[in-house]
């Protein structure tokens, strides 16, 4: 098996030769590579590397004399080919300039060898054992392979001199444009200004009580992100099927009452608006997965495959974290489970270099306070989510409570002092929709400030819009402080 696996003898010899010739480069090599990166010549290169590591730990110089002495002490000098082989290593060096290339080549070959070995182990397991749960077997295989491939040079340092050129150019290009954001737009400029858009590698948590509008807002953001960026957006809906999502999208984009779409109560004007919405959606790259039994392993695998097929992803939206299936994993508590899912999603965002917008429920305890506005502590299993999330957005909609006769000034219900909110009659063509005001509270923003933004929520259409002018924003802000 050893001879069949990929290897590069020239790279191994060159790297060891450089380490023998230059103290500075030796430190670089010994802190970057490991013994398993040396595979050729019956592992004699590996033995030499181990001796170099031992000398470094003893704070001794690394050269032909010291390495020869150490090999003699361990009775391995003749095994590696004697002094002649060490001299051959130094003679193999023609330049130090390609050292980084050789180091990365050896690292990649190690990962490839480990990957091929693991694939062989999986095949042998499949042939010798009964597979009772195929989806679980696939998930476990995917995890084992990902554990190997995820190590690919993730620990590399980047030189400040090189980063300065790249990042400096980006900063200069952004200069003078107040609307410039580094991530893709969530579709709402006032929120973008606070969070700087949805940035690659970020985990964004959107939390609210049930029925406040978090699924509707996430769908709005996902659609607008796909439309504005032109990049693929993946939606994992663990609660609604794809037909329900599309009905909501049609209501959103055509400003047609959702109930009319669901019941088929559409007039000619409505049908024309639906036709326009169909035309608009043709160029939007959105992909929906509505499998309610999706596990965290399957979710990660599907995202990797989508990126492999489509290239760079603009956004991944998950509705919601509490509904992700455990699969083959077993957790001692709900808190441990959510913590594991949260960490996996953050890792996935970094691996795919794509923002992930994940929805989360708010604990019912928030409704027992005088102020019903949620805080990060109200997120279910909030500790892990707070730690992993780059941004946390919390929604508050006053009418959610007043429509139930819940007083916002004290605990309990106070129907005498609360004006009843009457639903719209979908059969009344002259009745204009009246939007609710939703507070979008940016409770955490890892790389920026926190704050509050306001949106108008047209519940009949499932659509959100920002206030049209600064006067409206100021008025909403003053009411929010009361």
């Amino acid at each position: 098996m050893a001879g069949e696996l990929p290897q590069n003898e020239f790279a191994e010899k060159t790297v060891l030769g450089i380490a023998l010739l230059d103290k500075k480069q030796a430190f670089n090599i010994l802190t970057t590579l490991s013994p398993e990166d040396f595979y050729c010549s019956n592992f004699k290169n590996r033995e030499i590397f181990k001796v170099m590591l031992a000398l470094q730990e003893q704070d001794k110089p690394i050269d032909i004399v010291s390495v020869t002495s150490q090999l003699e002490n361990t009775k391995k000098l003749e095994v590696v080919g004697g002094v002649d082989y060490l001299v051959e290593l130094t003679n193999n060096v023609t330049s130090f300039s390609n050292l980084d290339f050789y180091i990365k080549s050896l690292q990649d070959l190690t990962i490839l060898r480990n990957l091929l070995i693991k694939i062989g182990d999986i095949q042998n397991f499949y042939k010798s054992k009964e597979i009772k749960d195929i989806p679980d077997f696939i998930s476990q295989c995917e995890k084992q392979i990902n554990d190997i491939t995820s190590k690919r040079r993730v620990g590399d340092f980047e030189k400040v001199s090189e980063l300065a050129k790249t990042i400096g150019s980006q900063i200069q290009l952004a200069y003078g444009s107040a609307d410039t954001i580094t991530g893709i737009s969530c579709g709402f400029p006032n929120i973008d200004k606070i969070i700087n858009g949805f940035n690659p590698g970020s985990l964004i948590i959107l939390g609210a009580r049930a029925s406040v509008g978090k699924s509707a807002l996430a769908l709005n953001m996902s659609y607008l992100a796909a439309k504005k960026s032109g990049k693929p957006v993946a939606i994992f809906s663990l609660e609604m099927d794809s037909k329900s999502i599309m009905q909501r999208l049609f209501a959103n984009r055509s400003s047609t009452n959702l109930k009319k779409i669901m019941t088929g109560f559409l007039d000619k004007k409505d049908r024309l608006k639906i036709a326009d919405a169909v035309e608009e959606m043709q160029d939007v790259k959105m992909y929906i997965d509505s499998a309610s039994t999706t596990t965290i392993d399957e979710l990660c695998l599907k995202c990797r495959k989508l990126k492999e097929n489509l290239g760079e992803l603009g956004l991944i939206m998950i509705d919601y974290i509490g509904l992700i299936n455990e699969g083959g994993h077993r957790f001692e508590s709900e808190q441990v489970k959510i913590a594991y899912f949260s960490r996996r999603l953050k890792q996935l965002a970094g691996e795919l270099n794509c923002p992930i917008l994940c929805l989360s429920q708010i604990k019912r305890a928030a409704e027992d306070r005088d102020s019903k506005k949620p805080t990060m502590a109200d997120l279910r299993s909030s500790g892990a989510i707070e730690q992993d999330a780059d941004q946390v957005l919390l929604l508050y909609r006053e009418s959610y409570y007043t429509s139930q006769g819940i007083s916002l000034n004290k605990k309990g219900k106070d129907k005498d002092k609360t004006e009843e909110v009457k639903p719209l009659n979908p059969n009344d063509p002259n009745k204009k929709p009246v939007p609710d005001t939703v507070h979008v509270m940016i409770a955490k923003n890892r790389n920026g400030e926190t704050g509050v933004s306001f949106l108008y929520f047209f519940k009949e259409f499932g659509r959100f819009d920002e206030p049209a002018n600064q006067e409206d924003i100021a008025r909403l802000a003053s009411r929010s402080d009361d």
Side-chain angles (χ1 to χ4, degrees):
M1 183 68 177
E4 300 172 3
L5 292 175
Q7 51 193 285
N8 188 335
E9 185 171 12
F10 179 79
E12 289 188 17
K13 285 185 172 183
T14 301
V15 167
L16 292 176
I18 291 174
L20 289 170
L21 292 171
D22 188 276
K23 179 181 179 181
K24 179 180 177 182
Q25 299 299 342
F27 180 82
N28 179 24
I29 292 166
L30 293 171
T31 55
T32 306
L33 294 174
S34 65
E36 69 171 343
D37 294 320
F38 295 87
Y39 194 79
C40 304
S41 304
N42 296 320
F43 304 108
K44 66 182 181 182
N45 292 336
R46 181 176 296 182
E47 290 299 327
I48 295 172
F49 183 81
K50 288 180 178 179
V51 165
M52 291 180 176
L53 281 177
L55 290 170
Q56 184 188 50
E57 291 174 359
Q58 299 169 28
D59 199 24
K60 293 181 179 179
I62 296 172
D63 51 35
I64 290 181
V65 174
S66 61
V67 171
T68 299
S69 176
Q70 187 76 2
L71 286 168
E72 285 180 334
N73 293 338
T74 57
K75 312 299 183 186
K76 291 182 179 179
L77 180 59
E78 296 305 319
V79 174
V80 303
V83 178
D84 290 343
Y85 185 72
L86 298 178
V87 173
E88 180 186 336
L89 293 177
T90 59
N91 291 336
N92 201 60
V93 178
T94 57
S95 171
F96 292 0
S97 60
N98 294 323
L99 176 61
D100 289 342
F101 171 80
Y102 293 130
I103 287 176
K104 290 178 180 179
S105 175
L106 293 180
Q107 290 174 324
D108 284 343
L109 286 169
T110 298
I111 292 173
L112 181 55
R113 287 194 296 269
N114 291 338
L115 183 60
L116 292 173
I117 291 171
K118 180 56 65 177
I119 291 173
D121 291 342
I122 291 172
Q123 289 177 329
N124 292 334
F125 185 89
Y126 173 76
K127 292 176 181 178
S128 61
K129 304 289 184 180
E130 179 184 359
I131 309 300
K132 296 181 179 179
D133 187 338
I134 293 178
D136 183 58
F137 174 69
I138 293 172
S139 295
Q140 293 301 317
C141 293
E142 184 269 337
K143 182 180 184 301
Q144 292 174 38
I145 290 174
N146 183 57
D147 286 343
I148 294 172
T149 58
S150 63
K151 296 176 182 178
R152 186 177 185 269
R153 299 203 296 267
V154 294
D156 282 355
F157 286 96
E158 297 179 89
K159 294 176 67 175
V160 169
S161 59
E162 295 174 358
L163 288 172
K165 295 177 182 178
T166 304
I167 307 300
S169 297
Q170 294 174 356
I171 293 172
Q172 289 175 329
L173 288 173
Y175 176 75
S177 175
D179 296 327
T180 298
I181 58 175
T182 58
I184 70 168
S185 173
C186 70
F188 302 100
N190 291 332
I191 297 177
D192 281 336
K193 288 179 182 177
I194 300 176
I195 66 172
N196 203 22
F198 290 156
N199 282 272
S202 294
L203 175 62
I204 305 102
I205 298 295
L206 179 61
R209 288 290 298 144
S211 300
V212 167
K214 63 180 180 298
S215 293
L217 179 56
L219 186 58
N220 275 241
M221 288 178 165
S222 299
Y223 182 85
L224 293 172
K227 184 179 180 182
K228 288 176 177 290
S229 70
K231 298 177 181 179
V233 169
I235 293 178
F236 289 89
S237 177
L238 308 177
E239 199 167 32
M240 287 188 291
D241 60 25
S242 56
K243 180 181 178 181
S244 298
I245 294 173
M246 290 308 301
Q247 287 175 332
R248 283 160 173 74
L249 266 180
F250 278 122
N252 181 300
R253 303 316 300 168
S254 66
S255 295
T256 301
N257 190 292
L258 177 60
K259 289 183 179 178
K260 294 174 70 175
I261 290 176
M262 295 176 69
T263 59
F265 190 82
L266 300 171
D267 57 26
K268 182 178 180 180
K269 183 178 179 181
D270 293 329
R271 290 195 296 272
L272 289 173
K273 290 193 295 183
I274 295 294
D276 289 340
V278 171
E279 184 68 22
E280 176 189 323
M281 292 182 193
Q282 297 307 301
D283 297 326
V284 178
K285 300 176 182 177
M286 284 185 67
Y287 300 83
I288 299 172
D289 185 299
S290 57
S292 60
T293 58
T294 297
T295 68
I296 187 65
D297 294 327
E298 290 170 341
L299 189 150
C300 293
L301 179 60
K302 289 175 181 178
C303 289
R304 293 188 188 102
K305 287 183 176 179
L306 196 62
K307 180 173 182 178
E308 181 180 344
N309 293 333
L310 302 177
E312 181 184 6
L313 299 179
L315 177 69
I316 297 168
M317 190 273 274
I318 302 166
D319 185 9
Y320 61 96
I321 192 170
L323 291 179
I324 298 175
N325 197 287
E326 294 183 7
H329 302 283
R330 294 295 178 265
F331 303 98
E332 59 188 55
S333 67
E334 182 74 6
Q335 185 173 0
V336 173
K337 181 181 78 172
I338 297 299
Y340 177 75
F341 291 168
S342 174
R343 173 52 52 185
R344 287 289 300 275
L345 292 177
K346 175 58 182 172
Q347 291 171 343
L348 181 66
E351 176 191 339
L352 301 183
N353 197 34
C354 168
I356 294 180
L357 175 63
C358 184
L359 278 58
S360 178
Q361 289 277 31
I362 293 293
K363 298 174 186 175
R364 187 177 295 275
E367 298 182 353
D368 295 333
R369 298 193 301 264
D370 289 349
S371 172
K372 311 301 181 186
K373 293 180 181 179
T375 66
M376 281 201 291
D378 295 323
L379 289 170
R380 294 188 184 276
S381 305
S382 60
I385 292 177
E386 285 184 47
Q387 177 180 340
D388 295 330
D390 296 281
Q391 284 96 26
V392 175
L393 280 57
L394 303 175
L395 303 187
Y396 169 75
R397 179 162 62 89
E398 184 176 303
S399 62
Y400 168 78
Y401 297 100
T402 57
S403 64
Q404 302 175 61
I406 298 176
S407 171
L408 299 179
N409 298 316
K410 60 182 181 180
K411 295 181 180 179
K413 295 191 175 182
D414 191 358
K415 293 186 178 181
D416 294 334
K417 295 184 180 181
T418 305
E419 181 181 353
E420 183 180 358
V421 178
K422 297 179 180 180
L424 295 178
N425 179 3
N427 300 325
D428 183 359
N430 298 316
K431 187 71 174 180
K432 293 185 178 181
V434 178
D436 291 335
T437 299
V438 173
H439 300 217
V440 182
M441 296 175 286
I442 293 86
K444 178 182 179 182
N445 189 12
R446 194 184 300 277
N447 295 316
E449 60 185 23
T450 57
V452 180
S453 189
F454 303 95
L455 296 175
Y456 291 138
F457 180 31
F458 294 85
K459 191 174 181 181
E460 297 77 17
F461 313 143
R463 192 183 74 234
F464 288 81
D465 289 326
E466 285 192 332
N469 52 58
Q470 291 299 318
E471 289 75 12
D472 285 347
I473 296 175
R475 175 178 54 81
L476 293 171
S478 64
R479 288 183 55 189
S480 173
D481 294 336
D482 292 341

